[in-house]
Amino acid sequence: MFKKLPGDEARNLVSTTPDTAVVFRPAVMQTPAIVTIVIWLSRLVAGLVRLVVRHPVAVAIPVGLGVIWTLYGWRLALVMAGFLPSAGLSWLLLDRASFLRLVGWPLLAWWRLVAVYRRHWQPVMVVSGLGRHIRGRDYLPRLVRVECDGWADRVSVKMLNGQAVTDWADRIEHLAHGFGAPSCRVAVARAGRLVLTFPRRDPLAEPLPALPVPDEASVGPVEIGRCEDGSPLRLKVHGTHVLIAGATGAGKGSYLWSTIRGLLPAMRAGLVQVWALDPKRMELSFGRALFGARYAADPKECADLLDDAVCVMQERADRFAGLQRSHTPTAADPFVLVLVDEVAFLTAYQPDKQLRQRITAALATLTTQGRAVGVGVMAALQDPRKEVMNIRNLFPDKIALRLDESEQVDMVLGDGARDRGALADHISPVPELGAGVGYVRLETSPDPVRVRAAYVSDTDIRAMVAEFAGVGR
Ligand SMILES: Nc1ncnc2c1ncn2[C@@H]1O[C@H](COP(=O)(O)OP(=O)(O)OP(=O)(O)O)[C@@H](O)[C@H]1O
């Protein structure tokens, strides 16, 4: 308070008891001028050091020109300044990445700070309720820094003392609209500090064609699409279990097929076996020849196949006990990936109670004990409610595609995921815009990441079958 109200103003802050009998006046201590000067100077030096560290190129240019001016006169400095744009252009053409990192993004960040965030900060904070306007004074969260990259602005914020992350997470729509961004994510940087991510464009707006089948046999992470920041989406399948939830037509099939596609060379090398359960008979049946005998569609056959997977798991657990605690895929002990399309057909909608219980028990056993011995489950379903999928929490990694209701987002991704920006219920139902788009929440990271899987078309599946039929034998 004293920092903001120096001297006489603080002296005038007078308050009284309700009956005005007692008057409180703050005691104002006179600070010697030298102390004030030292404080101001130290702040100036700290600010200069910060400026040099944060913006080395922006500082080096005027300083360099100043040195030339001093040593050789203003004419040479002017000529050098005239060369700057062409030097910048050559740098951009020769090494785009370093130019953008050192010049392009910092300049854009400065512009966005001035033209967008600082300009709208006060009204957005006050109207959204994140700042307070008390007795003529604004108490606002501090806008610390803006950083830019190719797709988003990252705004570092110091919260007001006493604010919680949920205060911000509840207002992501206010923030996005207030700063003219399509969406906003909230992440905690450290105590009291947040990073707000405002995307400027959407790299996932266009469908992605199927990715090439990898040259090398690898058990993963499998590249299956792209993340919102433009980086490849690499999904870990070995050593975890993955649950994919999305309404009908959300594009669950593209996650299943992109994963199979990425694992084909490893399947051919004998390092991976994909066991396919296809109770709807509409998805995995298309590439049946890839799975050999490890394909089931009838619920009874599905239950038998799951029991077989449990047997493999238990046999390995017996063999590995006391010798190894994690699994390395080999031709003798390949990684077994159990793929289940529309798992609710087997766990909830299955009229035969005994069969239903058997399947649920097998899935629960695999998801609780399978990953250490190289048996993983990847299951897709439409309805994530607990009545439909009571073992959904046994899947460490989750993907929420387009969902019908906002409450379903947290059911799939865990508490607070929607507040952190996983707006899976806002994904477009138009296939070109929204199919395959989803939010991934990994066991290791609480922040949901927006992604889009590549679309593996029927023609791609036919080509995969033509080239790799029989790999699952
Ligand atoms: N990754 C994708 N990118 C672009 N379009 C896609 C993608 N995935 C699917 N689509 C489009 O959306 C349609 C529906 O996809 P898909 O059948 O995989 O959805 P689904 O979630 O499996 O639905 P259902 O549960 O009804 O089987 C596809 O026919 C295709 O046109």
Side-chain angles (χ1 to χ4, degrees), residues 207-208 247-254 280 283 342 382 431 435-436 452-455:
L208 305 171
T248 180
K252 297 180 290 295
S254 57
K280 265 194 335 191
E283 191 65 68
E342 200 41 70
Q382 288 185 8
R452 187 166 199 171
Y455 179 49

Side-chain angles (χ1 to χ4, degrees), residues 246-248 382 384 401-409 424-426:
T248 180
Q382 288 185 8
L401 308 187
R402 176 171 54 80
L403 293 168
D404 292 328
E405 294 159 21
S406 54
E407 302 83 61
Q408 292 180 331
V409 179
D425 51 315
H426 286 190

Side-chain angles (χ1 to χ4, degrees), residues 120-205:
H120 298 298
W121 193 250
Q122 193 260 7
V124 173
M125 288 300 119
V126 173
V127 173
S128 66
L130 288 166
R132 294 276 181 282
H133 189 77
I134 303 172
R135 285 204 233 145
R137 284 195 59 203
D138 281 333
Y139 293 85
L140 301 180
R142 189 147 64 84
L143 172 57
V144 179
R145 190 168 46 238
V146 176
E147 286 168 309
C148 289
D149 60 20
W151 75 280
D153 300 341
R154 291 199 178 72
V155 179
S156 303
V157 176
K158 184 171 183 318
M159 291 191 280
L160 285 179
N161 287 349
Q163 274 186 333
V165 182
T166 44
D167 296 333
W168 290 75
D170 288 345
R171 288 168 176 84
I172 49 177
E173 286 187 48
H174 304 67
L175 294 168
H177 289 291
F179 294 115
S183 61
C184 169
R185 308 293 138 66
V186 178
V188 181
R190 60 186 155 94
R193 290 278 175 110
L194 296 178
V195 177
L196 309 176
T197 304
F198 295 101
R200 290 194 307 277
R201 64 182 188 90
D202 185 4
L204 310 180

Side-chain angles (χ1 to χ4, degrees), residues 385-397:
R385 281 173 305 142
K386 212 153 206 147
E387 307 86 272
V388 176
M389 184 66 177
N390 59 3
I391 56 164
R392 63 176 191 224
N393 290 344
L394 299 179
F395 290 79
D397 297 333

Side-chain angles (χ1 to χ4, degrees), residues 27 37 43 67 82 121 127 182 185 210 241 267 272 301-302 312 345 357 376 392 419 422 438 462:
I37 291 169
R43 279 197 197 145
V67 170
W121 193 250
V127 173
R185 308 293 138 66
H241 308 289
M267 287 167 75
V272 173
E301 289 171 13
C302 289
V312 169
F345 269 99
Q357 285 174 343
R392 63 176 191 224
D419 285 344
R462 263 186 230 111

